[in-house]
Amino acid sequence: MIVARNRLSKDEVKIVFEKGRRYGGASGAIIFLKDSKRKYAVVVPKKLLNSAVKRNSLRRKIYTFLRQRMPSILPGHLVILPNQKVTTLDFRGISHELHTLLFNARLLSPDAKMI
């Protein structure tokens, strides 16, 4: 989990959904809104994983990736929406997919390296 000051509130998530720029890929979508602070949210819909335990497990894996990569992600509000492909992957696979998604959206700093 990441600290509360780096997580988006419900109201902030709504603003990002309305005004943010969307990027899609094979592993899901991200919505990014430029800001001076780094704040993140992970939205795992019930339609994707019916079990709350599985949804929370996936969410925790993505938050762990974000915590490890925080310095290399550009400042702003970021919402991650994983898709079905990510649900079957282990942490290393999720990390690779998210890194690729962030790289293709040009949201990683130029000196960012693969985990």
Side-chain angles (χ1 to χ4, degrees), residues 51-107:
S51 167
V53 173
K54 292 178 182 176
R55 283 195 309 274
N56 290 333
S57 175
L58 178 59
R59 188 177 295 117
R60 281 192 301 270
K61 289 175 186 175
I62 294 172
Y63 273 131
T64 301
F65 167 80
L66 290 172
R67 189 178 63 243
Q68 291 174 351
R69 305 297 289 174
M70 197 177 298
S72 63
I73 299 173
L74 296 178
H77 296 305
L78 180 69
V79 176
I80 297 180
L81 302 157
N83 69 6
Q84 194 66 39
K85 178 182 179 184
V86 177
T87 62
T88 59
L89 299 175
D90 62 348
F91 178 74
R92 189 175 194 89
I94 291 171
S95 297
H96 178 74
E97 290 295 325
L98 290 175
H99 181 85
T100 303
L101 187 60
L102 290 168
F103 180 79
N104 290 340
R106 294 187 173 93
L107 297 177

Side-chain angles (χ1 to χ4, degrees), residues 1 6 12 29 38 40-41 48-49 52 56 59 71 76-77 97-98 102 110-111:
M1 214 47 170
N6 289 336
E12 290 172 325
R38 287 181 172 96
Y40 310 106
L48 186 63
L49 289 168
N56 290 333
R59 188 177 295 117
H77 296 305
E97 290 295 325
L98 290 175
L102 290 168
D111 59 338

